[in-house]
Amino acid sequence: MNPSRTLVDRIKTAHLTKLTDYTRKLYRKPELRKLFFELTLQCNERCFHCGSSCTAARCDELCLDNWLGVIDQVKADFGTSNIQLCITGGEPLLNPDFFAILSHAYAQGFKWGMTSNATLITPQVAQRLADVGMGTISVSIDGTRKTHDELRGLPGSFDRAIRGIQNLIDVGTFKAIQVTTVINHGNIGELDEMFGIMDNLDIDSWRVINLEPIGRALLRPDLMLTPDDYRRLFDFIRNKRAQGFPLEYGCSHYLGLEYEAEVREWYWLCNAGVYTASIMSNGDIGACLDIERRPETIQGNILRDRLRDVWDNRFELFRHDLSDSCAECRTCDHVRFCRGDAHRSWDYDANRPLVCLKGTLF
């Protein structure tokens, strides 16, 4: 084996061991850092990979007074200094009370960012976002023009998203403008062309994630990444990062010693229920919004439960290793670092991971 590779593996193993010890402490004493507000499930696009299968607003979505009350409650119970509000949907700008909600959050002292398809971000909307304190935004671009429009089910959406990004850039006051891309078997061949597009945009980072077998994507198994696709993707990310480009892989999976800490800033940790909580459009309280919504993953509802009580006294599902429930995972050589992988891609009926990169990357 390459001696330098052996040394790197030893260093990574030491780091991952410390992270494992830290994770055990985090299970016992979690820290809420990111709180997601799913303002609506309404969306003007119909993305084939949408984990929430968004199309229209639910009939039971929270009203303006509900959201204002949530903001006041979170400030009273958690303060504002250590929490980032992460605004999402659907397309959050389709909530008619969007600016009233976020204006109140900003006035109360919260830092906040948003995920958006950017098709509705005109110059005027971009300025209003700055006025109500938006610090960061992640915009979805899932391929070159033709591919993006097809995957998102909205003709012209690529051009509108690019214009939206430029409108944000032109304001010039946002802390970070990011593009997020979902890579599948169909668009992985466009990585180099997409890099050219991103390199010509004055964005702060490009975040790349893989298609997950959740939501609408379950209807397109032909677009799941192959083992060769995964290696191609992570080699691409690693090489671009080595060249200094701000490209990173998302927080989805444990990648093994070869790729961990080389395709993103640090090592993998599923944040669900230990750093992250979410309030869904109907008030349900959960962890990561990409996790399958079922009785055991829903921890309460903000209309009847106080988030502080739920955070402190529930979430048991997310505060132990998923591998505890899977015999195959428990006997794996990588279990102490992988811990059963991510809640977002866990099969809660079979108690096994839907995505395991052992045998593909390590």
Side-chain angles (χ1 to χ4, degrees):
M1 180 179 286
N2 184 329
S4 63
R5 182 74 245 179
T6 301
L7 176 60
V8 170
D9 286 355
R10 286 177 180 170
I11 293 171
K12 288 185 177 182
T13 298
H15 288 165
L16 285 163
T17 299
K18 289 182 178 180
L19 179 59
T20 296
D21 294 339
Y22 174 75
T23 302
R24 299 287 180 267
K25 296 177 182 177
L26 199 57
Y27 288 157
R28 297 191 297 271
K29 192 174 181 180
E31 303 172 12
L32 183 59
R33 297 183 181 180
K34 290 189 176 182
L35 178 58
F36 283 79
F37 285 179
E38 181 186 71
L39 291 192
T40 181
L41 284 179
Q42 184 178 1
C43 192
N44 58 336
E45 296 183 335
R46 190 177 178 85
C47 308
F48 89 98
H49 58 258
C50 182
S52 302
S53 299
C54 299
T55 50
R58 295 178 53 143
C59 62
D60 57 352
E61 293 190 341
L62 299 182
C63 67
L64 174 59
D65 285 344
N66 294 148
W67 282 116
L68 299 185
V70 169
I71 291 167
D72 292 344
Q73 180 195 127
V74 173
K75 179 180 179 179
D77 290 352
F78 292 92
T80 62
S81 59
N82 295 322
I83 292 181
Q84 165 95 1
L85 299 183
C86 306
I87 310 305
T88 186
E91 171 50 53
L93 286 168
L94 287 173
N95 184 313
D97 299 314
F98 177 92
F99 285 102
I101 294 168
L102 274 308
S103 177
H104 185 68
Y106 182 45
Q108 295 304 307
F110 283 102
K111 302 179 293 293
W112 69 274
M114 177 171 67
T115 300
S116 172
N117 61 40
T119 60
L120 304 176
I121 301 180
T122 63
Q124 293 76 22
V125 169
Q127 185 57 57
R128 290 188 71 189
L129 290 170
D131 293 342
V132 297
M134 187 181 77
T136 62
I137 186 167
S138 185
V139 176
S140 303
I141 300 286
D142 291 324
T144 56
R145 179 179 286 105
K146 181 175 182 293
T147 301
H148 176 89
D149 287 1
E150 288 177 351
L151 292 177
R152 297 202 149 249
L154 179 65
S157 59
F158 178 89
D159 290 334
R160 291 170 63 184
I162 294 295
R163 284 197 299 271
I165 292 170
Q166 189 57 54
N167 291 334
L168 293 163
I169 293 169
D170 291 343
V171 171
T173 61
F174 301 111
K175 181 179 179 181
I177 298 172
Q178 180 186 77
V179 169
T180 294
T181 299
V182 179
I183 295 295
N184 62 68
H185 184 62
N187 68 4
I188 194 168
E190 299 181 350
L191 278 172
D192 288 323
E193 193 173 354
M194 286 202 66
F195 175 78
I197 294 170
M198 301 305 154
D199 199 27
N200 286 323
L201 286 172
D202 189 20
I203 58 174
D204 297 283
S205 63
W206 182 21
R207 178 174 176 263
V208 175
I209 58 179
N210 58 276
L211 179 66
E212 300 281 3
I214 58 177
R216 285 198 201 109
L218 291 171
L219 303 176
R220 295 296 305 275
D222 56 305
L223 289 180
M224 295 298 164
L225 294 184
T226 67
D228 286 344
D229 290 339
Y230 275 112
R231 281 203 163 268
R232 178 179 179 181
L233 174 63
F234 293 125
D235 286 342
F236 176 85
I237 298 172
R238 181 166 58 185
N239 291 339
K240 294 303 182 186
R241 286 177 63 85
Q243 297 167 20
F245 189 81
L247 172 60
E248 63 179 3
Y249 179 62
C251 62
S252 302
H253 303 292
Y254 173 69
L255 307 178
L257 291 180
E258 182 177 350
Y259 292 103
E260 281 293 333
E262 296 188 28
V263 296
R264 52 192 166 205
E265 290 302 310
W266 195 237
Y267 298 92
W268 177 80
L269 171 66
C270 183
N271 293 329
V274 291
Y275 283 144
T276 298
S278 302
I279 298 175
M280 302 171 200
S281 64
N282 67 339
D284 281 346
I285 300 170
C288 169
L289 284 169
D290 287 331
I291 295 171
E292 182 183 358
R293 300 178 188 191
R294 46 193 292 153
E296 64 266 44
T297 62
I298 302 300
Q299 304 300 298
N301 187 284
I302 200 67
L303 296 178
R304 62 174 182 270
D305 300 304
R306 201 166 184 93
L307 180 62
R308 176 89 256 181
D309 293 337
V310 174
W311 181 256
D312 288 345
N313 301 308
R314 302 185 195 177
F315 281 94
E316 296 92 345
L317 177 69
F318 306 103
R319 293 170 184 168
H320 66 87
D321 292 352
L322 282 166
S323 55
D324 295 345
S325 304
C326 177
E328 185 178 358
C329 288
R330 288 197 302 271
T331 60
C332 176
D333 294 340
H334 300 266
V335 66
R336 59 180 174 153
F337 302 149
C338 174
R339 298 178 291 277
D341 209 68
H343 283 273
R344 66 184 294 180
S345 55
W346 185 258
D347 185 335
Y348 287 93
D349 291 316
N351 276 323
R352 60 183 302 274
L354 292 167
V355 176
C356 176
L357 295 176
K358 182 182 180 181
T360 297
L361 300 182
F362 57 91

